[in-house]
Amino acid sequence: MNIGDVARQSGLPPKTIRYYEDIGLIRPQRSENGYRSFRESDLHKLAFLGRARALGFTIEDCRTLMALYEDDHRESAQVKAVAEEHLRQIDEKIAQLQSMRATLDTLIHACAGDHRPDCPILQDLARSDANQA
Amino acid sequence: MNIGDVARQSGLPPKTIRYYEDIGLIRPQRSENGYRSFRESDLHKLAFLGRARALGFTIEDCRTLMALYEDDHRESAQVKAVAEEHLRQIDEKIAQLQSMRATLDTLIHACAGDHRPDCPILQDLARSDANQA
DNA sequence: ATAGGGCTTCCAGTCACTGGAGGGTCAAGG
DNA sequence: CCTTGACCCTCCAGTGACTGGAAGCCCTAT
């Protein structure tokens, strides 16, 4: 399979697939003409990577998860630990975003949004106390 | 005021302040020794920027918001539009994260997390259907 | 022979900083 | 007067995970 085929089948752009080879996540063979030649196992790995990335795992997490996947002597606790740490980080980010969202929503509702210059949003951003939240 | 003073007062690292000058968000004067010399108005702007960034606005949004802040003929509708667009993006991101979170949480709960290799998390990542969600 | 599509590599850019090297400035203490 | 330490300066490179584009080769069909 050429890169275009695996791109279609894995849903990943060719650029991304080349990048994954660059950073050593996959090692496709080469045809005589220099084209990358992907086996089923490469496609499988790319699909794995695509799904792990879709769950928000970092590339380094993906590397770890793939290594665990290919390690017959893994313990599921190792996988779970990676996933739990990631979940914690997601929760943190969600909390951050929700806090921003709450402030922003309040400000937006306080703003008339008309032709006049008076604006509570700008007033809040420009307020002179030191509170960064 | 030197950069250290404004850093302490604004809560922004000196590096960030220099960066903001680089990209034209502020224009502090210079002392004879070459040091940046910040006026109250610079400090005010930096505080404004810090708060806008804390609400998740991009640098380009900050630029727009600062311009509006300094424009006596602004209409609050312009500010509100920027804020509303940003809110939409935050909501999108929250939704994405919550969807990841849900999947991840399910997988984590399905995983024993013991010394055995069997792991529903890896099984899911390696499943052979094309569903990327 | 040429046109098109696909493939290759390499370089640069994204976003918003952050770290570090290498060096100048200033006030205080010995 | 010298040194120490805390400042400050610029410039370059790196972060994460790609993405865009240029320049050029390969392959098939007309």
Side-chain angles (χ1 to χ4, degrees), chain A residues 13 15-16 19-20 33 35 53 58-60:
Chain A
K15 280 267 181 187
T16 299
Y19 173 68
Y20 286 173
N33 59 11
Y35 288 15
R53 292 288 299 125
T58 65
I59 290 286
E60 284 317 304

Side-chain angles (χ1 to χ4, degrees), chain B residues 20-71:
Chain B
Y20 286 173
E21 182 187 8
D22 262 17
I23 61 173
L25 284 176
I26 51 168
R27 279 179 219 288
Q29 297 186 299
R30 294 288 175 138
S31 307
E32 294 200 349
N33 59 11
Y35 288 15
R36 286 169 187 78
S37 178
F38 296 85
R39 286 159 299 180
E40 277 300 322
S41 64
D42 293 317
L43 180 53
H44 197 78
K45 277 189 188 184
L46 287 170
F48 184 103
L49 289 169
R51 276 188 290 262
R53 292 287 300 126
L55 285 180
F57 285 106
T58 65
I59 290 285
E60 283 318 302
D61 281 347
C62 290
R63 210 186 286 280
T64 305
L65 292 170
M66 285 241 307
L68 287 172
Y69 181 63
E70 292 173 346
D71 175 8

Side-chain angles (χ1 to χ4, degrees), chain A residues 50-63:
Chain A
R51 275 187 292 260
R53 292 288 299 125
L55 285 180
F57 284 106
T58 65
I59 290 286
E60 284 317 304
D61 280 347
C62 290
R63 211 186 285 279

Side-chain angles (χ1 to χ4, degrees), chain A residues 13-33:
Chain A
K15 280 267 181 187
T16 299
I17 296 172
R18 290 194 195 100
Y19 173 68
Y20 286 173
E21 182 186 8
D22 260 19
I23 62 174
L25 285 176
I26 51 168
R27 279 180 219 286
Q29 296 185 299
R30 295 289 175 138
S31 307
E32 294 201 349
N33 59 11

Side-chain angles (χ1 to χ4, degrees), chain A residues 47-129:
Chain A
F48 184 103
L49 289 168
R51 275 187 292 260
R53 292 288 299 125
L55 285 180
F57 284 106
T58 65
I59 290 286
E60 284 317 304
D61 280 347
C62 290
R63 211 186 285 279
T64 305
L65 291 171
M66 285 242 305
L68 287 172
Y69 180 62
E70 292 173 347
D71 175 8
D72 290 340
H73 303 304
R74 70 174 170 256
E75 305 186 1
S76 66
Q78 298 175 275
V79 182
K80 193 169 184 174
V82 172
E84 279 174 337
E85 173 58 24
H86 180 43
L87 183 62
R88 261 189 296 281
Q89 303 215 358
I90 286 179
D91 282 342
E92 229 176 81
K93 203 161 238 172
I94 289 176
Q96 251 185 42
L97 287 171
Q98 277 174 342
S99 150
M100 286 179 188
R101 203 223 114 91
T103 306
L104 204 52
D105 200 50
T106 305
L107 292 174
I108 285 172
H109 278 96
C111 175
D114 58 18
H115 56 88
R116 290 169 303 172
D118 317 81
C119 177
I121 301 171
L122 292 180
Q123 271 164 34
D124 185 84
L125 292 174
R127 76 189 188 272
S128 55
D129 65 74

